């Protein structure tokens, strides 16, 4: 493959889509040598084909607010690649959502889902709907209007959405109810469902737990241990919550979290059920701020407008949104002696941050490997739905742990460099690529 030409084409074909270009470039740059060593991938134009989503669905969502006014939002579903299984991936409701956001997330999802070992293709959906200040009735009507259109394109064997930023158990419930109402079917068309109606134990914790299982692999590869390590997290949603729970259980100390309004630093550790659950409570009140954390807990200090990355830590785990950790943040973390950076948000680090961390030989895990526990457990929810039974928390957690170990092993297999440094970005991209590419070759092209 000709990296220069492919990159130029990518940029020309996707004008004004910087996130998609960033995500795709990172993959191209890390798989180029591997692809060139295996000419069959060029023969079947696999890379060029993976760069084009199979389908982009874009629709209007109209709904009525509490005052009786008609509101208009944009809805999307990008069905990126179905080679290894039905499209699978979350739905994001956030004011920043554009076609570009959806394309980059769906692209990442294809590689991530391939890494999970489960048969799931890649997709992503969402809307620019902003929950801030909306009543429960407004959220419900929006979710129903969104699903009224989306249901035309999804199904348990074709495309199975789930949650993401702004879409938790409540929104999944409202969307599932509308799907059921319109289609008259109680099927596994969404994951992240409530436990009483087809959901899986451990799904809420899975992304955070999985990222810590992956981190344990990174530590073990360096003959290091988690106990006693200082950790900074960003975000205070479901993902950061699950990570804080597991980190604390395994003896690490979470000293920082953050929100759009600033950072919370707590030298005593965010380590009691009361503190950890309050993160979730703050998130669920949907005011989008962490400042009240410092009012509630005396040991916590609030730094307005600051990020978690200014705190001296051994481990940094961005858990909020894309490009939340930039080159300056990486330089500061490196200066303060960070050893591990685990991207738990999708593409949480800018390209220059990743380059700086790798250059400093910091152990860096990309989101598509480290956060795959969420979608992997969604895959386990699909299995339980298909078998019409439910597994115990222990069974699901063990399977999740096994999947994260296998992703780690695959990253080591394809990402270890001559000097022994594990390039997890390269490892994850090559391992994710192989499975999808082989399936595409096997399934042929339509003439
Ligand atoms: N939104 C999550 C992700 O980025 C989970 C997707 C899913 O469970 O389908 O992978």
């Amino acid at each position: 493959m000709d990296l220069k030409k492919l990159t130029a084409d990518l940029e020309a074909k996707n004008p004004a889509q910087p996130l998609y270009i960033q995500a795709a470039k990172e993959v191209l740059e890390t798989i180029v040598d591997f692809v060139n060593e295996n000419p069959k991938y060029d023969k079947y134009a696999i890379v060029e084909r993976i760069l084009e989503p199979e389908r982009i669905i874009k629709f209007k969502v109209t709904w009525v607010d509490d005052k009786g006014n008609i509101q208009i939002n944009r809805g999307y579903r990008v069905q990126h690649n179905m080679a290894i299984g039905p499209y699978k991936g979350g739905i994001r409701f956030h004011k920043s959502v554009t076609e570009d956001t959806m394309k980059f997330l769906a692209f990442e999802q294809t590689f991530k889902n391939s890494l999970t070992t489960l048969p799931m293709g890649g997709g992503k959906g969402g809307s620019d709907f902003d929950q801030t200040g909306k009543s429960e009735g407004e959220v419900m009507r929006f979710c129903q209007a969104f699903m009224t259109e989306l249901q035309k394109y999804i199904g348990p064997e074709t495309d199975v959405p789930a949650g993401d930023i702004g879409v938790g158990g409540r929104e999944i419930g409202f969307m599932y109810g509308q799907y059921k109402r319109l289609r008259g079917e109680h099927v596994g068309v969404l994951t992240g469902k409530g436990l009483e109606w087809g959901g899986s134990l451990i799904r809420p914790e899975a992304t955070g737990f999985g990222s810590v299982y992956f981190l344990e692999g990174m530590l073990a590869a360096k003959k290091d241990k988690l106990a006693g390590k200082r950790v900074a997290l960003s975000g205070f949603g479901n993902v950061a919550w699950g990570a804080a729970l597991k980190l604390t259980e395994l003896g690490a100390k979470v000293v920082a979290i953050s929100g759009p309004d600033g950072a919370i630093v707590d030298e005593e550790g965010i380590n009691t059920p009361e503190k950890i659950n309050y993160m979730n409570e703050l998130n669920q009140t949907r005011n989008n701020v962490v400042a009240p954390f410092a009012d509630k807990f005396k040991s916590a200090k609030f730094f307005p407008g600051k990020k978690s990355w200014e705190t001296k830590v051994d481990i940094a785990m961005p858990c909020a949104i894309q490009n939340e950790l930039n080159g300056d943040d990486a330089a500061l973390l490196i200066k303060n002696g960070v050893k591990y950076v685990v991207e738990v948000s999708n593409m949480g680090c800018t390209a220059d941050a990743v380059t700086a961390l790798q250059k400093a030989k910091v152990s860096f895990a990309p989101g598509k490997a480290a956060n795959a526990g969420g979608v992997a457990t969604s895959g386990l929810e699909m299995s339980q739905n298909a078998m019409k039974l439910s597994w115990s928390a222990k069974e699901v957690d063990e399977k999740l742990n096994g999947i994260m170990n296998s992703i780690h092993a695959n990253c080591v297999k394809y990402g270890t460099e001559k000097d022994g440094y594990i390039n997890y970005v390269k490892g994850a991209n090559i391992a994710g690529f192989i499975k999808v590419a082989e399936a595409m070759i096997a399934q042929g092209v339509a003439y």
Side-chain angles (χ1 to χ4, degrees):
M1 75 184 234
D2 180 344
L3 181 61
K4 236 171 143 185
K5 184 175 178 310
L6 272 175
T7 309
D9 286 353
L10 172 75
E11 285 169 351
K13 281 187 183 166
N14 301 281
Q17 296 196 329
L19 294 171
Y20 182 64
I21 292 171
Q22 180 185 341
K25 257 188 180 171
E26 180 212 272
V27 168
L28 293 181
E29 285 162 9
T30 47
I31 65 170
V32 57
D33 293 341
F34 178 79
V35 171
N36 286 338
E37 283 156 21
N38 295 277
K40 65 178 170 181
Y41 298 128
D42 260 352
K43 179 174 168 209
Y44 293 103
I46 296 297
V47 178
E48 289 83 345
R49 286 160 66 193
I50 287 185
L51 286 173
E52 281 301 322
E54 288 172 10
R55 203 166 294 103
I56 298 180
I57 301 149
K58 191 170 169 184
F59 51 94
K60 176 173 69 177
V61 186
T62 46
W63 55 284
V64 180
D65 69 18
D66 286 346
K67 295 198 184 88
N69 297 321
I70 295 171
Q71 300 287 343
I72 301 152
N73 285 96
R74 286 184 170 175
Y76 305 89
R77 186 74 184 165
V78 176
Q79 297 180 330
H80 181 260
N81 190 293
M82 207 198 212
I84 63 170
Y87 304 111
K88 178 83 196 89
I91 292 178
R92 176 177 293 191
F93 293 161
H94 192 264
K95 55 181 188 268
S96 66
V97 164
T98 59
E99 188 175 315
D100 183 27
T101 326
M102 297 287 102
K103 264 176 79 175
F104 112 70
L105 287 165
F107 177 82
E108 291 279 295
Q109 199 81 44
T110 292
F111 288 81
K112 180 192 323 194
N113 293 3
S114 165
L115 287 169
T116 64
T117 71
L118 301 174
M120 301 183 290
K124 197 84 180 194
S127 172
D128 58 357
F129 176 71
D130 181 6
Q131 303 231 354
T132 322
K134 303 283 191 301
S135 71
E136 186 165 88
E138 289 177 324
V139 172
M140 183 177 79
R141 289 194 296 281
F142 172 79
C143 288
Q144 292 173 340
F146 182 84
M147 183 52 90
T148 298
E149 183 64 20
L150 185 69
Q151 56 91 20
K152 296 174 187 166
Y153 313 104
I154 61 175
E157 307 297 341
T158 45
D159 186 353
V160 183
D164 196 81
I165 297 172
V167 179
R170 176 178 72 163
E171 292 73 23
I172 291 291
F174 291 150
M175 287 192 273
Y176 192 77
Q178 186 70 350
Y179 181 91
K180 201 166 57 68
R181 219 165 274 127
L182 294 169
R183 304 278 287 256
E185 295 170 344
H186 199 302
V187 291
V189 67
L190 298 179
T191 59
K193 300 187 287 300
L195 286 179
E196 306 79 5
W197 40 282
S200 174
L201 285 160
I202 307 292
R203 178 65 191 89
E205 293 89 347
T207 311
F209 278 21
S211 68
V212 179
Y213 296 150
F214 193 89
L215 168 64
E216 283 189 294
M218 296 166 79
L219 287 148
K222 296 185 82 166
K223 310 220 172 342
D224 202 353
K225 289 225 150 53
L226 186 56
K229 293 279 189 300
R230 286 167 61 86
V231 187
L233 304 177
S234 63
F236 58 110
N238 180 259
V239 175
W241 165 77
L245 273 179
K246 190 49 83 178
L247 286 162
T248 303
E249 186 193 316
L250 298 176
K253 190 174 177 185
V254 177
V255 291
I257 58 164
S258 65
D261 56 332
I264 292 286
V265 178
D266 187 341
E267 281 299 332
E268 277 181 17
I270 298 166
N271 52 7
T272 60
E274 209 195 345
K275 284 180 180 173
I276 298 173
N277 290 335
Y278 189 60
M279 285 165 67
N280 232 4
E281 201 182 308
L282 272 179
N283 181 253
Q284 272 155 23
T285 56
R286 287 160 214 278
N287 290 326
N288 232 3
V289 289
V290 283
F293 198 96
D295 302 330
K296 194 167 161 78
F297 301 104
K298 271 207 204 80
S299 53
K301 287 196 179 63
F302 176 61
F303 296 92
K306 298 284 184 198
K307 294 180 173 181
S308 305
W309 320 131
E310 297 185 32
T311 321
K312 192 172 160 38
V313 288
D314 307 295
I315 301 166
M317 301 177 73
C319 299
I321 200 161
Q322 67 269 6
N323 290 334
E324 53 171 311
L325 195 159
N326 63 30
D328 292 341
D329 301 325
L332 194 56
L333 282 166
I334 294 165
K335 192 171 139 237
N336 283 335
V338 77
K339 300 271 180 318
Y340 305 88
V341 175
V342 185
E343 200 181 54
V344 196
S345 40
N346 290 308
M347 205 166 75
C349 298
T350 60
D352 57 338
V354 177
T355 307
L357 292 166
Q358 290 180 329
K359 219 171 136 202
K361 302 288 175 197
V362 171
S363 193
F364 171 76
K368 61 170 78 75
N371 75 25
V375 73
T377 308
S378 277
L380 300 176
E381 183 173 330
M382 289 166 73
S383 310
Q384 293 169 79
N385 291 168
M387 293 191 285
K388 305 203 188 300
L389 50 76
S390 25
W391 292 327
S392 68
K394 187 167 172 275
E395 270 177 288
V396 179
D397 198 25
E398 276 169 11
K399 287 189 167 64
L400 168 64
N401 200 316
I403 290 171
M404 297 316 293
N405 285 338
S406 111
I407 299 176
H408 186 271
N410 251 328
C411 289
V412 172
K413 180 171 174 193
Y414 294 104
T416 305
E417 292 181 340
K418 283 194 193 85
D419 62 357
Y421 177 72
I422 303 168
N423 184 335
Y424 285 94
V425 179
K426 183 174 166 193
N429 287 338
I430 295 177
F433 172 82
I434 293 173
K435 200 166 142 190
V436 177
E438 294 299 332
M440 288 171 74
I441 293 172
Q443 291 166 20
V445 282
Y447 285 91

